[in-house]
Amino acid sequence: MKDQAAALRSMVSAPLELEGIERDIRSSKIITVASGKGGVGKSNFTLNFALALQALGQKVLVFDADIGMANIDVLMGTSSSYNLYHLLYRQKSIREIIQLGASGLPYIAGGSGMRELFSLSDRDLEFFASQVEDIAQEMDYVIFDTGAGLSRENMKFIGAADECLIITTPEPTSITDAYALVKVMHGQENATPFRMIVNRVEDEREAERVAEKIAGVARRFLQTDIPLLGYISEDAQVVKAVKRQMPYSLAYPNAKASKDIEKLALRYLAVPATPGSGTLTGIRGFMNKWLKRTT
Ligand SMILES: Nc1ncnc2c1ncn2[C@@H]1O[C@H](COP(=O)(O)OP(=O)(O)OP(=O)(O)O)[C@@H](O)[C@H]1O
Ligand SMILES: [Mg+2]
């Protein structure tokens, strides 16, 4: 495993040769969206945030990495003919498993391939890495929507990303679970920087209060900063859009939640994350970190 992993590491950090022309690999940013507690709004956030970034001229790929459910498909009323499984079993290329959702948003459904991803042979892992690298170089952002909680799989996605956006609501259980997630991930070598998003708030003040609860404890006990990136209002239009299987920012562009997500995306582009301690970012860094935690 070690030799193979080393080979892959050097492969992902070598410049791509294409028909004799050396291309620069564009460093797309890899974001993982996570939460401690389930059902706090990760998938809705991922989808609408990706659409908002896309509307601002960014190239975004969404990857539905929830092992249990095809969240992204359900939220758009789409169903993927192909998923990660078809890629891992060499039935389709990565370009063929990319689906186009609402507003032409490209996304990959993990589907039944998600479980395989964590038990790949070295050869298959190499293949997966090269395929992901192939597509990621065309993107500005690759956003992984994960399932809730501290599963091994989620920790892997969080640990390998350039940045983790952690979603909480103002409910105490959601706050304590968000902190638990930060605590576990914190202190790992090359730790991923976190930023917080408070969903379903009454107003900005509530978002700040909730964020400070988590940030305060993290500062005190973990000596780490978890800045608030933004918030999304509690909005009945979100529920309506979910029932209609349409992203709320497209179904109700004037809804409070839609305005909030637009503001949040603008802020995201304006205020970069505090870099982690690692040097490599983008898909190369992602694969390096992924492998490091396998070996
Ligand atoms: N801003 C909001 N205002 C009102 N309701 C919301 C808001 N955000 C999410 N919801 C409600 O919460 C539900 C769950 O949202 P979502 O599926 O995005 O959560 P999740 O964190 O991805 O869940 P899971 O952990 O199961 O993957 C939505 O179907 C909707 O009813
Ligand atoms: Mg979800």
Side-chain angles (χ1 to χ4, degrees):
M1 179 75 209
K2 265 199 178 122
D3 288 347
Q4 289 281 346
L8 178 50
R9 249 175 240 136
S10 64
M11 185 191 89
V12 294
S13 51
L16 259 193
E17 284 272 343
L18 189 77
E19 292 162 10
I21 303 162
E22 226 181 54
R23 281 188 301 166
D24 238 7
I25 298 176
R26 178 168 175 173
S27 187
S28 49
K29 191 148 182 210
I30 315 293
I31 306 168
T32 294
V33 176
S35 72
K37 191 170 182 282
V40 296
K42 289 179 298 298
S43 300
N44 275 279
F45 169 78
T46 302
L47 183 57
N48 290 282
F49 179 59
L51 286 166
L53 287 176
Q54 186 176 267
L56 291 166
Q58 305 299 306
K59 283 194 165 177
V60 188
L61 172 70
V62 168
F63 193 118
D64 187 343
D66 190 320
I67 299 231
M69 307 281 190
N71 285 279
I72 299 296
D73 262 336
V74 174
L75 288 176
M76 289 195 287
T78 51
S79 86
S80 299
S81 335
Y82 303 113
N83 63 41
L84 190 62
Y85 182 92
H86 300 93
L87 174 74
L88 297 178
Y89 285 90
R90 312 288 209 274
Q91 291 164 7
K92 297 280 163 200
S93 72
I94 196 146
R95 281 167 210 283
E96 289 170 312
I97 66 162
I98 291 180
Q99 321 275 318
L100 294 183
S103 285
L105 180 75
Y107 72 100
I108 292 177
S112 47
M114 283 305 296
R115 288 198 191 283
E116 326 290 322
L117 195 55
F118 296 92
S119 51
L120 288 184
S121 69
D122 301 338
R123 251 189 81 218
D124 289 341
L125 199 54
E126 276 185 38
F127 171 74
F128 173 67
S130 64
Q131 290 278 300
V132 174
E133 191 169 50
D134 183 35
I135 200 72
Q137 64 182 309
E138 293 168 17
M139 299 292 161
D140 296 307
Y141 297 98
V142 179
I143 311 181
F144 289 99
D145 175 28
T146 65
L150 281 166
S151 67
R152 188 172 77 92
E153 291 82 7
N154 288 347
M155 286 170 67
K156 188 111 182 157
F157 276 107
I158 297 169
D162 294 324
E163 173 171 30
C164 176
L165 301 180
I166 183 157
I167 317 282
T168 184
T169 69
E171 289 182 3
T173 42
S174 167
I175 295 173
T176 49
D177 291 359
Y179 178 71
L181 182 68
V182 171
K183 192 175 163 192
V184 168
M185 294 307 297
H186 170 77
Q188 294 198 357
E189 187 201 343
N190 210 351
T192 305
F194 278 94
R195 277 195 278 184
M196 214 177 327
I197 287 142
V198 191
N199 188 24
R200 312 193 68 160
V201 297
E202 275 170 32
D203 52 29
E204 190 169 4
R205 274 190 49 214
E206 184 176 38
E208 282 165 0
R209 258 202 324 271
V210 169
E212 185 45 36
K213 274 188 193 158
I214 300 176
V217 183
R219 264 196 307 272
R220 188 157 160 222
F221 295 105
L222 309 175
Q223 287 77 48
T224 192
D225 192 30
I226 307 176
L228 172 65
L229 176 64
Y231 64 90
I232 301 149
S233 304
E234 169 72 33
D235 189 338
Q237 309 275 56
V238 172
V239 184
K240 268 197 204 161
V242 170
K243 285 186 189 159
R244 287 178 61 193
Q245 292 190 278
M246 284 178 77
Y248 60 79
S249 55
L250 298 179
Y252 308 108
N254 294 317
K256 239 178 160 183
S258 305
K259 296 289 172 202
D260 293 338
I261 202 94
E262 200 181 323
K263 204 165 106 189
L264 203 151
L266 275 169
R267 187 174 156 77
Y268 182 81
L269 295 179
V271 188
T274 316
S277 46
T279 44
L280 273 178
T281 58
I283 198 65
R284 285 185 202 169
F286 182 82
M287 291 313 303
N288 273 358
K289 283 163 99 186
W290 183 285
L291 286 166
K292 230 180 224 164
R293 292 195 163 88
T294 326
T295 48

